[in-house]
Each structure stands twice: as C-alpha cells, then as structure tokens.
Amino acid sequence: MALKHEPTAPHHWAQEALRVLETVARHSTGTTDTELTRLTGLAPERLTTLLRMLRREGYVEQAADGTYVAGQALARLGSAQQRQAALRDKLQRALDRLRDSVGAAVYLSRYVDGEVSVTQYADSPDTPRVNEWVDFRCSAHATAVGKSLLTQLDHAARRDHLARHRMARLTSHTITSDKVLLSRLAAQPPTAPVLDLQEYAVGTVCAAVPVTAGSAVGCLALSLPVEDAHRLRRAADTLSRNAAPVLLTLTI
C-alpha cells in the first residue's frame, strides 16, 4: 500500500516538539531554555509555547533551578512493560481535552491492514458519539473518517479499498459512484478538513483531519448534530490546531 503524505501545521508542531523533547532527554542533568534555543534552532517565542505544551502533557518538567528535564510521562512511555497502557492513557487524555475544546465528540482512527478502525474516542452526555449503525469498516465512502484515511492513500490503494467494500447508499446524501468519490478524494486539499454532511447518518455532520505518524495513516475526527452544522468548520479548525499532542504521542 502506497501512502500520499503531505505536511500540515500540526505535523510541524509535533516535529518541533519532538526535537525539543529529544534535546531535553539527551541532557539528563537538565538544560536551560537558552541552551534549548541554541540547540534546536527554534525562536524563543516558539520554544516557550512548545515547552508549555510539553510540560502540560507531562513529557517535560521544570526543576527548581529552572532547567528542563524529561518528565514522568516520557519515562512511562519508555518502559516496554508500561508503554501500551501509558500510550492509550495519554491519547485518551488528549482526546478528552480536544472534546472539550471543540465542544463535540472526538475520534482517533487508523487505517490498519486495509481497514478503517476507530481506535479511541472521547464523548460525554453533552457531546454524544455518533451511533455506528453501519460498521465503519464498510462505510469509508460515507464518513469523514473514512474519506480522510482514503485521501492519504495512493489511487491504487483507494481503488482496492472500494473494490472490497460496496458503496451502499446510507442516506440521500451518500456518494455511491466510485468515479465521483475518487475524483473528490484526488481534489481534496491536504490541509483542509474532510467533511461528512449527513452522508453516513441523517442528523449528523462530521469533519476529519489527517494525523500521520511515520508510515501509519490516521486521522482525528469530530461529530455534531446537524443543528450545530454552522459550527463544523470552526470546530474542525480548532481540532487541527490542537492536534499536536496527539501527533507527538503517536510519534514517540
């Protein structure tokens, strides 16, 4: 399966944060923000913002003398025995914060072994998740999640997926022509959110943005009731701007 990766703003944030984190981790006795600026080549203002995020996520801690050292969250992820549980916990907390930021249910999805998989989500009584009335693995053509994942594949891999999953009409808005869908996927700007405007379920709108870590294909998505459709674009932009902690956790 060939991928078609394009860098987006959250990916740049995650790459820069990873550069800072790797630099801190190399200095077991601590390093100052002045040293970090010199070693990473980042502007002081940018470094300050990244350090704030890394401290909030528990990857970096500030010692009493003002130097920065690796945090407990990084230590837990570094332990093979604790890694899977720690990773899932970190991702869940990041998703919970995203849910609260965008005011919508939030989903983390991956494309694994040729199938769409929603691996984690964050919802609440006020932001309920979408009812999976048709298996997400069979409805990539109709969901923001599925279309976002498919845009990250090359043309041959997209055609292979659609050949294995019939494009059923789920609502009156569902695209059922593979020619039309493939054309729209090819034209999708890499930095723009992919939308589902009642294509999967009547009464629900969704948006998804890519979160690729290495060769893995993934996305973050949100869902809203159709009466809140006017918030969809703004919520998707917020989701994209705040995706860096999720990307960083997936990358480490």
Side-chain angles (χ1 to χ4, degrees):
M1 177 183 69
L3 310 182
K4 199 183 82 167
H5 288 166
E6 296 281 356
T8 60
H11 293 77
H12 290 310
W13 269 87
Q15 290 164 3
E16 290 174 346
L18 189 60
R19 194 191 318 167
V20 174
L21 188 54
E22 289 172 340
T23 305
V24 171
R26 284 199 301 269
H27 294 75
S28 58
T29 58
T31 183
T32 65
D33 49 6
T34 301
E35 290 173 324
L36 285 170
T37 298
R38 177 176 60 83
L39 293 169
T40 62
L42 295 168
E45 297 82 6
R46 184 73 157 182
L47 178 64
T48 298
T49 302
L50 290 167
L51 283 171
R52 187 182 303 122
M53 182 192 75
L54 290 169
R55 289 176 64 189
R56 185 184 69 233
E57 296 295 319
Y59 290 125
V60 165
E61 295 174 3
Q62 191 167 21
D65 62 359
T67 60
Y68 293 94
V69 296
Q72 288 299 311
L74 186 62
R76 285 195 296 271
L77 287 175
S79 166
Q81 188 174 13
Q82 302 179 42
R83 180 173 176 78
Q84 285 306 113
L87 179 63
R88 189 169 184 83
D89 181 61
K90 284 295 296 179
L91 287 171
Q92 190 60 52
R93 281 185 281 169
L95 292 175
D96 289 346
R97 283 195 297 271
L98 281 172
R99 175 200 60 206
D100 296 339
S101 296
V102 302
V106 173
Y107 313 79
L108 177 63
S109 303
R110 310 295 291 272
Y111 195 74
V112 181
D113 297 330
E115 299 294 349
V116 172
S117 175
V118 176
T119 55
Q120 281 179 256
Y121 62 86
D123 65 349
S124 74
D126 294 329
T127 56
R129 67 184 185 274
V130 68
N131 173 37
E132 189 179 352
W133 74 285
V134 176
D135 193 322
F136 289 141
R137 292 174 297 179
C138 304
S139 54
H141 65 291
T143 65
V145 162
K147 288 184 286 184
S148 179
L149 296 174
L150 291 176
T151 60
Q152 298 172 60
L153 309 180
D154 66 14
H155 183 75
R158 293 171 190 165
R159 290 198 68 89
D160 172 73
H161 183 92
L162 297 178
R164 290 184 288 108
H165 297 286
R166 185 175 66 87
M167 294 174 60
R169 184 176 299 281
L170 306 184
T171 77
S172 61
H173 302 281
T174 307
I175 298 172
T176 55
S177 163
D178 58 350
K179 182 177 180 180
V180 172
L181 180 63
L182 288 168
S183 175
R184 293 193 182 181
L185 293 176
Q188 173 70 25
T191 58
V194 179
L195 304 181
D196 156 19
L197 304 177
Q198 301 189 86
E199 295 171 51
Y200 175 76
V202 173
T204 301
V205 295
C206 305
V209 295
V211 287
T212 52
S215 61
V217 172
C219 73
L220 277 170
L222 63 89
S223 63
L224 288 168
V226 69
E227 54 266 28
D228 289 339
H230 62 282
R231 293 204 297 115
L232 187 62
R233 289 279 185 179
R234 187 172 69 250
D237 289 342
T238 301
L239 187 71
S240 181
R241 284 197 309 272
N242 292 281
V246 173
L247 275 167
L248 181 61
T249 302
L250 291 172
T251 303
I252 292 174

